[in-house]
Amino acid sequence: MKQLIVYLVLTLLTFPATSCRKTDTPPITVFHFYDTLAVDGYSRSCLINLPPNYNDNPHFALVIALHGTAGSAAQMETDYKLTNKSNSAGFIIVYPEGVPSDGLLGIRTWNAGSCCDFAMQHNIDDVKFIKLLIQKLTANYKIDRKRIYVTGMSNGAMMAYRLGCELSDQLAAIAPVSGTLMTTAPCEPARKMPVLHIHSAMDTKVPFAGGVGLAGYYFHPVDSTLRVWAGIDGCAATPQVVTDTALYTQTQYVNCSNNTTVQLYLTKDGGHSWPGGLPARPAADAPSNAFDATDLIWEFFKKYELP
């Protein structure tokens, strides 16, 4: 009888704990898929990749990767090896796609301000799209809201800068590649923003020194872009050289507020391309061999989260 009473007491003590476990959320079985989101009359598309350990951990960092002009989610994933990196690092990555033009090629672009093409000409609200996408992703997946990052290539890099200006309360850091700040309104983020910029001194499509480049657009000098961000982050006025090798130079603005940094990796080879990646198309510039931009970006992102 005594043993029966002990058994019943132990059963009652353990019952509440087992009944409170989450049993209504089945494990994820599809880790790589496309999704859509309706925004301003457009069906906006994106490619989502969840890491293999998604079911095992409570929350994950999110990287938003923005393709360049005429690029796509699949192209960016393949050429820059971002999904392989996100899987090994245990990040979620999403590749949003720009609105396709109404021309025969359906070229996708982003409205970064004064560039580019269809998205700019039709004043597509890409900031709204990314904001709503973040809301959807954080509602449906195990994303740490303090660790959301944006990177982008070319026009996607320009869009990354615009998002840094307008969605700073949601982004922990940005890492533009081969782009520049092209916003038409003053960049006035709500918080300090860590910035990692990667570019080639050989780039003629978005010239590092500024000037007319791809499709006849005038692109602002990258130095002026970084000075804007150094001012926003309260950094010292003059950047310091951290590393100078035969293939690249790394400079950094120091003494920035809130433990932010503004860094530049300027390669001496390559061109309008993603260092360490693959050419985006047959006629594209050869990527720099100085380093792997994907690895560099991930290491940068890992240092920062929202307060």
Side-chain angles (χ1 to χ4, degrees), residues 195-279:
V195 176
L196 168 64
H197 187 103
I198 299 172
H199 218 104
S200 170
M202 307 294 289
D203 192 339
T204 59
K205 296 180 174 64
V206 180
F208 178 78
V212 177
L214 189 67
Y217 285 102
Y218 173 81
F219 297 106
H220 300 148
V222 173
D223 278 349
S224 66
T225 290
L226 299 181
R227 282 197 297 271
V228 167
W229 284 102
I232 290 169
D233 290 349
C235 309
T238 304
Q240 295 183 359
V241 175
V242 178
T243 306
D244 190 7
T245 73
L247 288 179
Y248 75 95
T249 300
Q250 176 195 1
T251 55
Q252 179 173 322
Y253 285 88
V254 298
N255 300 325
C256 307
S257 303
N258 298 0
N259 295 317
T260 58
T261 73
V262 177
Q263 298 184 35
L264 166 67
Y265 281 76
L266 182 64
T267 69
K268 302 171 186 179
D269 63 339
H272 190 67
S273 55
W274 188 279
L278 301 173

Side-chain angles (χ1 to χ4, degrees), residues 126-204:
D126 283 319
V127 174
K128 180 180 179 180
F129 167 43
I130 300 301
K131 183 176 182 179
L132 291 176
L133 179 61
I134 290 173
Q135 289 178 6
K136 181 176 182 177
L137 292 171
T138 53
N140 292 322
Y141 303 101
K142 298 184 291 184
I143 292 170
D144 184 347
R145 293 175 181 268
K146 291 186 176 183
R147 297 189 296 148
I148 300 177
Y149 312 94
V150 175
T151 186
M153 169 65 190
S154 189
N155 180 213
M158 300 170 202
M159 190 66 212
Y161 272 129
R162 183 170 185 181
L163 293 173
C165 296
E166 299 186 40
L167 292 184
S168 64
D169 59 331
Q170 298 185 52
L171 304 177
I174 59 173
V177 180
S178 301
T180 191
L181 182 65
M182 297 292 286
T183 54
T184 52
C187 182
E188 298 176 343
R191 55 173 290 273
K192 313 297 185 184
M193 176 67 66
V195 176
L196 168 64
H197 187 103
I198 299 172
H199 218 104
S200 170
M202 307 294 289
D203 192 339
T204 59

Side-chain angles (χ1 to χ4, degrees), residues 5-33:
I5 293 172
V6 171
Y7 173 79
L8 291 173
V9 170
L10 290 174
T11 300
L12 289 172
L13 287 173
T14 57
F15 178 75
T18 57
S19 65
C20 290
R21 291 175 186 165
K22 287 187 176 181
T23 58
D24 56 343
T25 304
I28 293 289
T29 57
V30 179
F31 297 87
H32 189 262
F33 52 92

